[in-house]
Amino acid sequence: MTERIIDDVRFQPVEVQLLEPFAIAGGAPAIARNVFVRIRLRDGTVGYGEAAPFEAVSGETQASTLAALDGIAELVLGRDVAQWRRLHAALRPALAGAPAALCGVEQALFDAFARHARVALVDLFGGRAGALRTDITIPAGDAGHAQRSARRAVAAGFGTLKVKVGAGGWEADVARLRGIRDAAPGAGLIVDANAGYTFEQARAFLAGLAAEGIRLRLFEQPVAADRPDELRALERESGVPVCADESVRSPADALRVAAMGVSSLNVKLMKFGVVDALDVLAIARSAGMTCMIGGMVETAVSMSFSAALAEAMQPLCGYVDLDTPLFMADGIVEGGLRYAGEAVSLPAAPGTGVDLERWF
Ligand SMILES: [Mg+2]
């Protein structure tokens, strides 16, 4: 047992320039300012995690994340990594209000535990299901940008486009969707308003799409986070599946939207940490919901973790949105998930298979 004792914890801030700003309703970061986490066990096993604070979504920043992590090492040093529920019980109150920080530490704990046991993370969570297929995001922008992005995405092998809306007016978003449909007539369309519309605007947007004959596969978080009742009302009225994202920041929130009858929710590890995300997945499964597995602006460290969870949780995680490493240059992270067009596959390696040693 003693070889599973945690004997070192490190945090490494990183700045990753994006190939284009990740523009959504509320903000458009051009640089991902994240924090890598490394946990080492007494036998030399290391595990990696990532905190990816997204200020426009949760108000967290790299600075607030580092401040939250200060002093956390003493909660985990000398503890058995296999005791992850007890570690979570100590970490969660200490990192209240800093879910990205909690996520980074918990990812590193699970990764170290899996590597110590010499199992791939996907096997730890439930086993392989074959390659996932991710959507690709078309950030907020003008109609020309949307159409060019759609053409490029389809040429690169993506069959599902996730279009960020709600940053301009709904009329402009309808025009963007029309351009995308014309450029990529066979593509599946998901839209994500990141809480950027009012109920009436969301309704007008859907009517505008219907008038153009544009069908959506999913409408993610059309309205404000504190209006989950409107998510359900919009879904019932329009027949378009709705996904709660900003409205679900805890297992209790998941229970609330499940009870209301919203058909899906977005499980981003950065909103909950790993352990609470497992509860959110259990609630969604029990309620007969479908999950989207997505993320903030994350490197392959966190996205490999989420891909392992998503693959193990098929068919529950029916919507896969694990594309942000594609907005970054190659070479930031060694190993981990691989993309071939829209196909996402995981290596046959312990843990996530990521190697971050050059950062530490
Ligand atoms: Mg979203």
Side-chain angles (χ1 to χ4, degrees):
M1 291 306 154
T2 58
E3 71 273 17
R4 291 197 313 229
I5 300 295
I6 298 164
D7 79 351
D8 189 51
V9 182
R10 292 189 198 187
F11 307 112
Q12 176 64 52
V14 293
E15 292 199 350
V16 181
Q17 179 74 48
L18 303 182
L19 302 176
E20 73 166 301
F22 202 81
I24 67 168
I31 298 175
R33 292 187 172 84
N34 296 351
V35 179
F36 289 152
V37 180
R38 187 184 80 160
I39 283 177
R40 193 184 66 205
L41 309 184
R42 201 169 274 175
D43 72 348
T45 302
V46 292
Y48 303 111
E50 178 178 15
F54 195 148
E55 189 171 12
V57 174
S58 70
E60 300 167 270
T61 63
Q62 187 185 54
S64 72
T65 299
L66 288 167
L69 291 168
D70 191 39
I72 285 304
E74 67 195 48
L75 296 178
V76 301
L77 287 172
R79 307 277 297 268
D80 180 350
V81 74
Q83 299 270 322
W84 54 266
R85 285 255 176 226
R86 286 171 188 81
L87 285 160
H88 168 75
L91 288 165
R92 193 170 187 262
L95 292 171
L102 178 65
C103 179
V105 176
E106 290 189 343
Q107 284 183 357
L109 288 171
F110 276 90
D111 192 38
F113 186 31
R115 289 180 198 230
H116 175 79
R118 295 189 171 76
V119 296
L121 208 56
V122 59
D123 291 329
L124 190 73
F125 285 131
R128 290 184 184 268
L132 303 169
R133 286 186 296 167
T134 184
D135 62 29
I136 189 155
T137 301
I138 296 182
D142 64 25
H145 164 268
Q147 204 164 36
R148 286 192 301 279
S149 301
R151 254 188 223 110
R152 198 167 57 225
V154 169
F158 290 89
T160 304
L161 309 176
K162 173 165 162 175
V163 185
K164 292 292 190 179
V165 299
W170 64 265
E171 298 94 335
D173 285 330
V174 171
R176 290 172 66 231
L177 265 296
R178 188 173 52 223
I180 289 168
R181 188 265 322 267
D182 293 345
L189 296 175
I190 293 173
V191 299
D192 184 3
N194 289 104
Y197 288 143
T198 64
F199 184 77
E200 288 309 322
Q201 289 166 343
R203 195 187 238 167
F205 171 68
L206 285 174
L209 293 184
E212 296 285 348
I214 298 169
R215 297 167 68 97
L216 296 180
R217 192 172 163 215
L218 189 69
F219 194 173
E220 195 181 335
Q221 196 68 40
V223 297
D226 62 355
R227 299 311 303 264
D229 53 315
E230 294 183 350
L231 298 179
R232 179 54 185 148
L234 204 63
E235 180 159 32
R236 188 166 298 180
E237 182 183 295
S238 67
V240 174
V242 167
C243 178
D245 183 1
E246 282 82 348
S247 292
V248 178
R249 293 172 186 275
S250 67
D253 288 343
L255 210 46
R256 200 169 301 124
V257 299
M260 281 178 179
V262 178
S263 64
S264 66
L265 58 81
N266 191 333
V267 187
K268 291 174 179 162
L269 298 182
M270 288 301 150
K271 299 192 294 184
F272 316 112
V274 178
V275 179
D276 280 358
L278 294 172
D279 284 0
V280 169
L281 286 159
I283 290 164
R285 180 190 285 114
S286 304
M289 299 173 78
T290 304
C291 292
M292 173 179 286
I293 189 128
M296 303 299 181
V297 186
E298 302 169 12
T299 72
V301 178
S302 180
M303 286 271 147
S304 297
F305 200 108
S306 292
L309 200 53
E311 190 174 329
M313 299 282 173
Q314 290 303 313
L316 176 62
C317 294
Y319 303 107
V320 179
D321 177 32
L322 298 176
D323 63 337
T324 56
L326 298 169
F327 286 77
M328 301 170 181
D330 291 337
I332 294 154
V333 174
E334 304 283 319
L337 84 178
R338 283 181 172 279
Y339 296 91
E342 65 181 1
V344 177
S345 58
L346 289 160
T352 58
V354 158
D355 181 355
L356 273 189
E357 275 316 286
R358 78 175 181 90
W359 291 92
F360 287 92

